[in-house]
Amino acid sequence: MASSEVFKEVELKEEQEACTQDGTVDWHGRPAIKAKSGKWTAGIIILLNQGLATLAFFGVGVNLVLFLTRVLGQNNADAANNVSKWTGTVYIFSLVGAFLSDSYWGRYKTCAIFQVIFVIGLVSLSLSSYIFLIRPRGCGNQEMPCGSHSSLEITLFYLSIYLVALGNGGYQPNIATFGADQFDGNDPKEGHSKVSFFSYFYLALNLGSLFSNTILGYFEDEGKWALGFWVSAGSALGALVLFLAGTTRYRHFRPSGNPLSRFSQVLVAATKKCNVDMPSDADGLYNVDANDSSINGNRKILHTDEFKFLDRAAYISTRDVDDLKKGIYNTWRLCPVTQVEEVKCVLRLLPIWLCTIIYSVVFTQMASLFVEQGAAMKVTISNFRIPPASMSSFDILSVALFIFLYRRVLDPLVGRLRKKDSRGLTELQRMGIGLVIAVLAMVSAGIVECYRLKYANKGCIHCEGSSSLSIFWQVPQYAFIGASEVFMYVGQLEFFNAQTPDGLKSFGSALCMTSISLGNYVSSLLVTMVMKISTEDHMPGWIPGNLNKGHLDRFYFLLAGLTTVDLVVYVLCAKWYKCIKLEGKAAENNESGSLKV
């Protein structure tokens, strides 16, 4: 009898070791088996999917500002604003995708549905451009502008690109988190792979855009817009097929229900008990067993001392005791500590998130003003013309180089120098470094613009290529942006994924994307304000249609100043921040401290 019990215990232990410990399930809803699911097999499929989807997205986005000016006849300022608004909308839609994923659909279903929308948008864009917009044939290059278009044709174009925005926006935050789900954070080996995944994910994103920025950018710059859009549509379709092919291999987290109702319950319950005298410690607060948990089986979050007013939602009053004895549990009067800590986690993240918006203003210049600046420089070598948008290839090469340098050189070096902590640079420290490098990028761009103006032909009419300064002088500003991305955006992905509760992981990735979104909107607002102020007294302004008559350099230096101010505020917020404390990771929580800069 005893031997039978021992055998059952050993069998149970082996079964537990065979399954993941983070709560993930397989396609059939059963606990995921480590050997048959997830890990790098699923991770590589997702990385390839991301690369193809990024190729498709940037096949549209990287030259959109030139499409608007050459095909639709918009001026530089309007085109830059429209691109900023469109790009911003892409990332606003990420909140929609994250909400549906965390609440109802789960990450797999959300990724699949939004990728279908993405493909439909690209096919519609390809058809509308080929049939209606690119007339006469061959127009839209540097030399031949296109004819006028009806309001219906323009409406169809905008409907198509905003379908692309919806599809890519809803898919993007979930695919990053879904990739991280394939690695069990409670397993030391897989936990290390999970951290590495974010760097490789960002690398795949940039390598996918490399083809768009070079080959597709060249064809589109030559006026072959329809070809570029059809290649993008094909790439998106290939990404969708590849994603569906890995269906049986993926690990999944179950959706946790509507987070808005959980947050509202905490706020309402805390308000109802605003006059209650709270105990000095957390012993009197309502807690639940890990099995009942917290939020649909997710890990419990330990109590923290910040935002004490919210603790009232977990305070067990006399009325709550009576209700619990009767078997009545009112979620709008009493919330478990984990649910309260969910709200605290989000509140603690907001100041850090707000500080990343100005960085995104800097980042978005690559898709708009950098391209316009490059078009006004010398873009020829012998008889070969370099598409201005293809200069962002140096950004991608910089990203690849600095990911390698950081993972293989800098991180191990910092780990050895820190005797007590071998973790290397924290996420918050890396994000701070990213802001510093962003300042250097704007200063570099401003200096290049000063010299471009010095060697420009001020009296030109069509001013593309009107400066004798080579476009290759833009390489440093693109390289600085690439280096800053490795520290800011990769660090940001890791930070928000690690610091959001289990039921809000997609929301964490969406925060990264919405900071880019708001950065685009802030950029658009800044351009509008600068043009309004700088065009007073009939002056041409800082960013006129003819850049040779403007002062784009002053706009770059303005961004450098704003980013410096943002860096100071960020350091203060980072020092104040306290990390999430999960049950079962107390040692790690103590070691990580508050992740201070």
Side-chain angles (χ1 to χ4, degrees), residues 158-465:
Y158 276 110
L159 177 63
S160 299
I161 63 170
Y162 277 94
L163 272 177
V164 171
L166 173 61
N168 187 262
Y171 149 85
Q172 198 66 42
N174 294 294
I175 197 67
T177 312
F178 189 55
D181 290 346
Q182 308 311 309
F183 303 94
D184 185 354
N186 294 331
D187 180 279
K189 186 176 180 180
E190 288 193 30
H192 179 74
S193 297
K194 187 172 187 173
V195 173
S196 300
F197 174 81
F198 288 108
S199 292
Y200 295 129
F201 179 85
Y202 201 76
L203 181 61
L205 187 152
N206 279 272
L207 291 178
S209 66
L210 180 62
F211 182 85
S212 302
N213 293 336
T214 51
I215 308 300
L216 287 189
Y218 174 77
F219 283 118
E220 290 173 354
D221 190 60
E222 293 295 314
K224 298 178 181 178
W225 296 98
L227 174 63
F229 293 158
W230 277 117
V231 170
S232 293
S235 179
L237 180 61
L240 174 61
V241 171
L242 182 64
F243 179 78
L244 296 176
T247 296
T248 57
R249 182 76 192 188
Y250 299 135
R251 297 174 184 173
H252 309 264
F253 277 103
R254 294 188 179 95
S256 300
N258 189 342
L260 296 179
S261 63
R262 298 201 301 270
F263 283 25
S264 300
Q265 287 167 358
V266 171
L267 296 175
V268 170
T271 303
K272 286 180 177 179
K273 299 175 183 176
C274 60
N275 296 321
V276 171
D277 293 328
M278 293 290 292
S280 57
D281 52 33
D283 293 339
L285 301 182
Y286 180 60
N287 228 321
V288 291
D289 295 332
N291 294 330
D292 295 328
S293 185
S294 332
I295 315 292
N296 288 351
N298 294 327
R299 291 173 294 179
K300 290 173 62 177
I301 308 174
L302 303 179
H303 177 263
T304 56
D305 293 328
E306 292 81 23
F307 306 106
K308 285 184 176 293
F309 174 79
L310 296 176
D311 289 340
R312 297 174 183 275
Y315 177 72
I316 307 175
S317 65
T318 305
R319 177 178 168 180
D320 294 329
V321 172
D322 293 338
D323 287 344
L324 290 172
K325 286 180 179 178
K326 296 175 185 177
I328 301 172
Y329 175 49
N330 185 351
T331 56
W332 294 91
R333 275 197 60 84
L334 182 64
C335 304
V337 169
T338 291
Q339 189 174 342
V340 174
E341 289 299 321
E342 264 198 330
V343 181
K344 290 184 180 182
C345 284
V346 173
L347 292 177
R348 279 194 293 262
L349 288 171
L350 288 180
I352 300 294
W353 172 72
L354 288 171
C355 288
T356 64
I357 294 173
I358 292 296
Y359 173 81
S360 295
V361 174
V362 172
F363 174 74
T364 195
Q365 304 313 313
M366 269 202 314
S368 54
L369 293 180
F370 278 20
V371 178
E372 293 178 10
Q373 180 189 33
M377 301 174 77
K378 182 183 178 183
V379 294
T380 56
I381 298 179
S382 186
N383 293 324
F384 181 76
R385 185 177 183 278
I386 302 163
S390 70
M391 291 299 292
S392 57
S393 304
F394 290 100
D395 162 75
I396 297 165
L397 294 174
S398 176
V399 166
L401 174 64
F402 276 91
I403 282 179
F404 173 80
L405 289 177
Y406 174 73
R407 286 292 174 197
R408 300 297 180 185
V409 180
L410 183 59
D411 199 39
L413 178 62
V414 173
R416 285 196 294 270
L417 292 176
R418 289 181 167 183
K419 296 180 181 178
K420 294 183 179 180
D421 185 2
S422 61
R423 288 177 356 97
L425 294 171
T426 66
E427 292 91 341
L428 288 175
Q429 288 171 335
R430 284 150 55 192
M431 290 160 67
I433 292 171
L435 283 172
V436 173
I437 301 174
V439 174
L440 298 178
M442 288 297 95
V443 171
S444 173
I447 292 172
V448 168
E449 179 63 12
C450 289
Y451 279 94
R452 190 198 68 78
L453 288 171
K454 182 178 178 181
Y455 297 105
N457 176 12
K458 300 292 197 306
C460 64
I461 299 174
H462 300 292
C463 292
E464 292 197 5

Side-chain angles (χ1 to χ4, degrees), residues 27 96-117 167 170-172 174-175 178 181-182 240 243-244 247 250-255 506:
W27 173 246
V96 177
F99 176 79
L100 292 171
S101 170
D102 286 335
S103 304
Y104 305 112
W105 290 353
R107 285 184 264 283
Y108 171 80
K109 186 177 180 181
T110 306
C111 287
I113 290 173
F114 279 103
Q115 282 187 84
V116 170
I117 297 172
Y171 149 85
Q172 198 66 42
N174 294 294
I175 197 67
F178 189 55
D181 290 346
Q182 308 311 309
L240 174 61
F243 179 78
L244 296 176
T247 296
Y250 299 135
R251 297 174 184 173
H252 309 264
F253 277 103
R254 294 188 179 95
S506 293

Side-chain angles (χ1 to χ4, degrees), residues 4-18:
S4 176
E5 290 178 356
V6 170
F7 177 76
K8 286 181 179 179
E9 287 180 4
V10 172
E11 191 177 46
L12 179 62
K13 186 176 180 182
E14 289 177 351
E15 185 178 337
Q16 289 175 341
E17 289 177 352

